[in-house]
Amino acid sequence: MAANEFDQLRVVLVAARNPLNIGAAARAMSNFGFLHLRVVNPYEAAFREARSAVGASALLASAEEYKTVAEAVADCTLVVGTTAVRHRELQHPLRRLEYGMRLIRKKLGSNRVALLFGSEKFGLSNAALSHCHWLMRIPTCEENISMNLGQAVAVCLYELVRNPKAVQQAEKQAPAAAREAERLTALLLDALDASGYLKRHPSPVAEAKARRFVRRLKLSARDAAVWLGMLRQIVWKLRANEGKPR
């Protein structure tokens, strides 16, 4: 997602009770490149001075303040709420974080999106939830499902900015062909022989074991080339030192 698309997101904190948590949320936004914070009825008027907003004082100072959720999301075409669920009966579709953020990422290209977080103690009220199109939850442990507000904002924004394509590209690296794996096996055996390992640990099936070991590594072609170079150097050095007094 391009950096200018971050301008389309509005992080909305509804009835946050602790100014330090508002500051921590602002810091998380600054960490990930989001600049538009909106607060609805913050519990403490002095939240703009929160010391927890390390490196994000300007962002906190420019936060927009609203009396109602309706006013805070009026210019947004998509409104998404966050919830820990607990025992409440939800009237909205509930999506896991990673899937929900993929949907938001697609919308941000041409639409303004509001991401709502509720108070630390009660979360979003039913009235606040009524403004949402759908909800998301962070898959936390059942024994302690509620997160600190600043941490929740950080987790959500990280999921939004991370690039899943980068992971896919890494996974798509060409795997080493069988001939590279066989060369690695031969060089590994040569190194083991030159080092004296095979003499101290003789095995009639050493070659088969080495071959299985190399294949279990599932090396890419690029990594296989690096390993071949390292093993060649090791073997050369070991052979060059053969017969020298120690």
Side-chain angles (χ1 to χ4, degrees):
M1 186 169 60
N4 61 354
E5 290 178 310
F6 294 174
D7 284 338
Q8 297 284 59
L9 187 79
R10 300 296 184 267
V11 174
V12 183
L13 308 182
V14 183
R17 298 174 60 84
N18 190 327
L20 292 177
N21 287 337
I22 299 177
R27 181 179 185 179
M29 291 176 63
S30 179
N31 286 149
F32 296 111
F34 295 91
L35 302 176
H36 302 289
L37 173 63
R38 295 178 175 180
V39 294
V40 178
N41 288 330
Y43 185 75
E44 174 59 59
F47 73 88
R48 296 182 192 275
E49 302 170 8
R51 295 180 180 179
S52 53
V54 179
S57 55
L59 189 155
L60 198 59
S62 63
E64 299 174 280
E65 199 167 344
Y66 296 87
K67 292 183 178 180
T68 67
V69 173
E71 293 173 333
V73 303
D75 59 345
C76 299
T77 58
L78 175 63
V79 180
V80 179
T82 57
T83 179
V85 182
R86 295 187 184 277
H87 302 295
R88 69 196 306 172
E89 183 177 345
L90 301 177
Q91 304 298 322
H92 297 73
L94 178 65
R95 298 184 168 103
R96 282 178 63 93
L97 181 65
E98 59 273 25
Y99 176 60
M101 285 306 180
R102 285 202 298 270
L103 297 179
I104 291 176
R105 196 180 292 119
K106 291 177 181 178
K107 288 285 186 181
L108 281 177
S110 56
N111 298 275
R112 185 166 289 178
V113 178
L115 183 58
L116 272 60
F117 297 86
S119 74
E120 301 89 326
K121 190 171 183 179
F122 302 109
L124 290 170
S125 67
N126 288 333
L129 290 175
S130 69
H131 293 277
C132 300
H133 292 89
W134 43 268
L135 308 176
M136 288 190 306
R137 67 176 294 267
I138 298 172
T140 50
C141 177
E142 288 298 325
E143 286 74 16
N144 190 9
I145 61 177
S146 180
M147 293 185 70
N148 170 272
L149 178 59
Q151 292 176 332
V153 171
V155 170
C156 288
L157 296 184
Y158 166 74
E159 184 64 32
L160 185 57
V161 302
R162 77 181 183 90
N163 184 5
K165 292 183 179 179
V167 178
Q168 293 171 5
Q169 289 169 358
E171 291 175 349
K172 288 182 179 178
Q173 285 187 13
R179 59 178 174 272
E180 276 79 32
E182 195 60 24
R183 288 171 186 162
L184 270 174
T185 301
L187 273 171
L188 177 59
L189 287 168
D190 203 2
L192 292 174
D193 179 56
S195 68
Y197 178 87
L198 292 181
K199 292 179 182 178
R200 290 192 295 272
H201 306 276
S203 171
V205 292
E207 183 176 341
K209 285 185 176 179
R211 186 174 290 111
R212 288 195 298 269
F213 170 76
V214 168
R215 276 156 179 74
R216 282 200 300 270
L217 295 176
K218 296 180 180 179
L219 295 172
S220 66
R222 183 183 303 174
D223 288 344
V226 173
W227 276 105
L228 282 167
M230 290 191 295
L231 284 172
R232 286 192 189 101
Q233 182 65 25
I234 292 171
V235 170
W236 175 82
K237 189 68 174 179
L238 289 171
R239 295 301 185 195
N241 288 335
E242 283 182 350
K244 289 184 179 180
R246 296 183 181 180

